[in-house]
Amino acid sequence: MFVSVFLWIFWLGFLLYLAYKLYRSLRIVSAQECIIVERLGKYSRTLHAGFHILIPFIDYDAYYHTLKEQAIDVPPQTCITKDNVKVEMDGILYLRVLDPQKASYGIEDYRFAVTQLVQTTMRAIIGTMDLDTTFETREVINSKILEVLDQAGEPWGVRVNRYEIVNIAPPKSIIEAMEREKKAQITKKAQISLSEGDRDSRINRSLGIKEEAINKSEGEKQKRINEAEGQAAEIEFIATATAKGIELLASSIKTKGGKEAVKLRIAQRFIKEVEKLGQDRTELVLPLNLSNFKSVMKSVLGSEDKKA
C-alpha cells in the first residue's frame, strides 16, 4: 500500500514537471526585446519579437536583453583638476544594445562595464583641465567621453549614443570663493556703469549749458543789432523829417505873409505855455512883467524880428 502511494506521487510529480518543461518551451517575445537561446551549453540562436517553441531539455533561454535605448545613471565620483581642486561629478549616459550575442558573451555585465569606463575616462579628462575650464567646456568633456565609449562598446555589442554631465560640485570653500569673486565682478561692473553714466550725464549737462549760453548770446546779439538798426532808422527818419520841416519852414517864411504867420505861431505857443502856469504843483520864474501882456508880446515878437 505504501509503495503504490509513493509510485503514484512520483508519477504525478513527473507529469507536473514535464508539463512545466513543455510550458517553458513556449516563448512569446515582446517588441524591442530578444532572448539568447543555448543548445546543450552552446549559442544556438537569438529569438526576436513573436512566438517561438524550444526543445525541452535541450534548448535553454540563457540571456534576456532589451533593444530599447537605456538611460544609465553614473554615480558621483571625485575628480582632481589640473590646479589640484577636488570636484564631484556625476552624469547620465544613453546606450542601446546592437548585437545581443556580443552583449551576452563579450562581457559579463555591459552596464557595469560602461559605467566604470565613464568614471575612469572622466577622471583622466578632468585631470588635464583647470577648474574654470571644466565649467566652460562641458560639451568638450561629453564628446571626449563619448569617443572612448564608442570604441570600447563595439566588442560588447552596445553603442553609447550620448553622455551628459549632470552636476559639477567643487568644495564648499571653492564655491564661496567663486561667489565672492563673482560678487566683486558684479560690483565692479555696477560701479563702472554708474561712473560712466555720471560722466555722460555731466557731459550732457555741460553741452546743454554751453549750447544754452551760445543761444542766449546769439539772441542777445541779434536783439542788440535789431535795436541798433531800429534806433538808427528812427534817428534817420527823425532827422529826415526835421530837415524837411526846416526846409518847408524856410521856404514858407520866404513867401508873402510868411513872417506874419511865424509871429502868429509864436504868440499861440506862448499863450499855451502861460496857460500851464495855472496847473497844480507848477513853479515858474519869469523875468517878465506879465501884468502888461501886450508889452510882453511886443518884446517877444520884437526879439523874433531882430533874430530874423
Side-chain angles (χ1 to χ4, degrees):
M1 182 68 181
F2 177 76
V3 175
S4 61
V5 172
F6 177 77
L7 290 175
W8 184 83
I9 293 174
F10 172 77
W11 286 109
L12 179 62
F14 177 75
L15 291 175
L16 290 175
Y17 176 73
L18 183 61
Y20 172 75
K21 294 298 289 184
L22 290 173
Y23 171 75
R24 289 289 298 172
S25 65
L26 304 178
R27 290 290 183 270
I28 298 177
V29 183
S30 302
Q32 293 298 318
E33 291 184 356
C34 67
I35 300 175
I36 299 297
V37 177
E38 293 181 353
R39 178 170 293 177
L40 299 177
K42 295 181 179 180
Y43 171 75
S44 174
R45 62 189 184 276
T46 301
L47 304 181
H48 294 278
F51 177 76
H52 304 275
I53 300 176
L54 304 180
I55 300 175
F57 305 105
I58 297 178
D59 292 340
Y60 171 69
D61 48 349
Y63 300 98
Y64 288 78
H65 294 288
T66 177
L67 302 179
K68 299 177 182 178
E69 188 173 15
Q70 304 175 51
I72 301 177
D73 184 33
V74 179
Q77 61 172 331
T78 301
C79 303
I80 300 177
T81 63
K82 185 178 180 181
D83 48 357
N84 296 324
V85 178
K86 293 183 178 180
V87 293
E88 285 193 357
M89 303 181 66
D90 61 349
I92 186 169
L93 59 87
Y94 302 86
L95 60 82
R96 183 190 297 273
V97 176
L98 299 181
D99 191 337
Q101 183 180 356
K102 290 182 179 180
S104 301
Y105 300 103
I107 193 168
E108 179 68 23
D109 186 352
Y110 65 85
R111 294 170 61 92
F112 176 76
V114 170
T115 302
Q116 293 299 312
L117 183 58
V118 167
Q119 290 180 335
T120 56
T121 305
M122 184 183 298
R123 284 194 294 266
I125 294 174
I126 296 301
T128 61
M129 297 182 176
D130 295 330
L131 178 62
D132 295 337
T133 308
T134 58
F135 292 102
E136 299 172 357
T137 58
R138 287 195 179 194
E139 294 297 330
V140 176
I141 298 173
N142 294 339
S143 62
K144 289 183 178 180
I145 293 176
L146 191 59
E147 290 177 2
V148 175
L149 294 177
D150 189 47
Q151 295 176 1
E154 196 277 331
W156 302 340
V158 297
R159 183 180 66 188
V160 179
N161 294 327
R162 61 186 182 276
Y163 175 78
E164 297 291 339
I165 296 176
V166 178
N167 292 313
I168 300 177
K172 185 177 180 181
S173 59
I174 300 297
I175 295 176
E176 292 176 353
M178 293 173 65
E179 289 178 350
R180 289 194 297 269
E181 182 181 0
K182 187 64 176 179
K183 183 178 180 181
Q185 292 178 355
I186 295 174
T187 303
K188 177 182 177 181
K189 187 179 293 185
Q191 291 176 352
I192 292 174
S193 299
L194 289 175
S195 63
E196 291 178 351
D198 183 65
R199 181 194 64 186
D200 295 340
S201 177
R202 291 175 180 272
I203 291 174
N204 291 335
R205 285 199 298 269
S206 63
L207 291 176
I209 294 172
K210 176 183 177 182
E211 292 180 359
E212 182 182 4
I214 293 173
N215 292 335
K216 285 184 177 180
S217 63
E218 291 291 338
E220 186 67 23
K221 174 183 176 182
Q222 191 63 39
K223 177 183 176 182
R224 291 182 179 181
I225 291 174
N226 293 338
E227 290 179 352
E229 291 178 351
Q231 291 177 358
E234 180 182 1
I235 293 172
E236 182 180 1
F237 180 79
I238 293 173
T240 303
T242 304
K244 290 182 178 180
I246 294 173
E247 183 179 355
L248 292 174
L249 181 60
S251 61
S252 299
I253 293 174
K254 293 179 180 179
T255 59
K256 185 179 181 179
K259 294 183 178 180
E260 287 76 8
V262 171
K263 291 179 180 180
L264 179 61
R265 182 61 178 170
I266 293 174
Q268 291 176 348
R269 184 68 178 177
F270 180 77
I271 294 171
K272 288 183 179 180
E273 293 297 329
V274 173
E275 289 177 353
K276 294 180 179 179
L277 297 177
Q279 297 179 359
D280 297 337
R281 299 179 182 179
T282 301
E283 295 180 359
L284 182 64
V285 178
L286 295 174
L288 297 174
N289 187 6
L290 294 180
S291 60
N292 190 353
F293 183 75
K294 185 176 180 181
S295 62
V296 171
M297 290 299 299
K298 185 177 180 181
S299 62
V300 172
L301 296 176
S303 62
E304 289 292 333
D305 290 340
K306 292 178 181 180
K307 290 180 181 180

